[in-house]
Amino acid sequence: MYSEEKDYILDPMVGSGTSLIEAKLLNRNALGIDINPEAVKLSNDALEFEFKNDCIQKAIIGNVKELSNLQENSIDLIITHPPYLNIVKYSDGKIEEDLSSSGGMVKFLNDIEQISKELYRVLKPNKFCAILIGDTRKRQHFVPISHYLMERFLKSGFILKEEIIKAQHNCSYSNRWGWKAKKYKFYLIMHEHLFIFRKPKENEDTSIFSWSKYREK
Ligand SMILES: C[S@@+](CC[C@H](N)C(=O)[O-])C[C@H]1O[C@@H](n2cnc3c(N)ncnc32)[C@H](O)[C@@H]1O
């Protein structure tokens, strides 16, 4: 919905390559980046299937925080799915720049802010950046990672087009946490957030959506 055939799509935390496979099926050019060489191999292997299309899809090793090989205003759509803090450790802490290796929330959110600025730089004006992100609990209380992330993206200049709630059922998490939830009286988290941000057009008046407008001065 947010891209056209032959567009250039970026997934800078590509994991096992789902977005690249979809790009191939939908005739879009797509670049996947991941800090973990194993993810890059998985993604490129997953693209080895016969399907006629006129575009190129590939994955390379890189760090989402430094996309210096990509020009500003060059990407038609960004779609990505960062780690949720350190809930799943993608490289078992072996790769320092892996966001899921980062110690705490403050470092994670500062990294997210740097990433949001980099994504804003490379995206064309009036195009979309989709981020899938979940929340967590600490000591039985809800930690809204998604809301904190959204605020950093708004601060970097994006405006919010949609917040789509993705329901999750029957995840392995339910078995692990089900009994605790009953005992300590809290709800299991069974959704993720898909934020669709838009980079404003040049000279667009965004004051009506502006993040800074609603902040205490
Ligand atoms: C939630 S997974 C992505 C899953 C993906 N959507 C899929 O279909 O498999 C997050 C990915 O971010 C990658 N990652 C973590 N830190 C990164 C960084 N600094 N630069 C690029 N990729 C990073 C991890 O290696 C992991 O593959």
Side-chain angles (χ1 to χ4, degrees):
M1 196 159 97
Y2 297 112
S3 66
E4 306 290 334
E5 287 200 20
K6 311 234 173 112
D7 268 1
Y8 285 84
I9 294 176
L10 172 69
D11 182 345
M13 289 174 271
V14 73
S16 57
T18 318
S19 50
L20 301 184
I21 296 167
E22 293 301 324
K24 183 163 177 176
L25 297 174
L26 294 168
N27 204 26
R28 271 81 167 152
N29 293 289
L31 176 65
I33 297 177
D34 206 286
I35 198 83
N36 189 337
E38 284 173 31
V40 171
K41 181 168 186 322
L42 261 180
S43 294
N44 284 325
D45 288 352
L47 285 168
E48 297 276 319
F49 64 94
E50 282 300 317
F51 191 82
K52 196 174 150 6
N53 77 118
D54 323 320
C55 295
I56 297 172
Q57 304 81 23
K58 67 170 178 184
I60 59 170
I61 298 172
N63 185 350
V64 60
K65 283 163 66 181
E66 295 149 23
L67 301 174
S68 48
N69 51 345
L70 295 180
Q71 287 187 349
E72 68 182 80
N73 301 337
S74 60
I75 302 292
D76 295 296
L77 172 70
I78 297 169
I79 174 160
T80 202
H81 180 193
Y84 307 165
L85 192 59
N86 49 10
I87 295 165
V88 175
K89 287 200 161 55
Y90 288 94
S91 58
D92 294 325
K94 284 184 204 124
I95 301 175
E96 204 185 315
E97 287 299 330
D98 177 346
L99 289 181
S100 66
S101 306
S102 85
M105 182 69 97
V106 173
K107 162 99 172 56
F108 177 78
L109 290 175
N110 288 341
D111 285 346
I112 290 291
E113 187 167 327
Q114 186 178 343
I115 291 164
S116 64
K117 288 183 180 140
E118 217 23 13
L119 300 185
Y120 189 92
R121 183 183 70 76
V122 300
L123 188 65
K124 291 180 183 169
N126 203 28
K127 298 287 184 174
F128 296 95
C129 171
I131 309 284
L132 181 66
I133 181 84
D135 303 301
T136 188
R137 281 188 178 277
K138 280 215 185 330
R139 300 203 183 131
Q140 299 148 35
H141 287 72
F142 195 86
V143 181
I145 302 174
S146 59
H147 294 213
Y148 299 145
L149 173 143
M150 178 182 64
E151 195 174 35
R152 301 295 172 120
F153 271 72
L154 297 180
K155 192 176 163 192
S156 297
F158 282 106
I159 51 181
L160 189 62
K161 166 85 172 162
E162 305 284 356
E163 179 183 7
I164 300 165
I165 299 299
K166 176 174 167 269
Q168 277 182 305
H169 299 288
N170 302 324
C171 27
S172 57
Y173 170 91
S174 323
N175 298 332
R176 215 162 3 118
W177 287 94
W179 69 269
K180 270 199 178 177
K182 264 206 179 117
K183 182 168 175 199
Y184 297 109
K185 298 188 173 28
F186 61 85
Y187 289 100
L188 292 178
I189 299 172
M190 291 205 168
H191 66 280
E192 293 170 305
H193 306 249
L194 178 58
F195 293 119
I196 313 287
F197 297 103
R198 181 169 68 83
K199 176 173 173 174
K201 293 178 226 165
E202 271 163 49
N203 305 322
E204 181 176 344
D205 176 9
T206 59
S207 52
I208 188 168
F209 320 107
S210 167
W211 174 84
S212 54
K213 184 173 169 170
Y214 302 110
R215 286 210 26 122
E216 217 179 318
K217 295 274 185 260

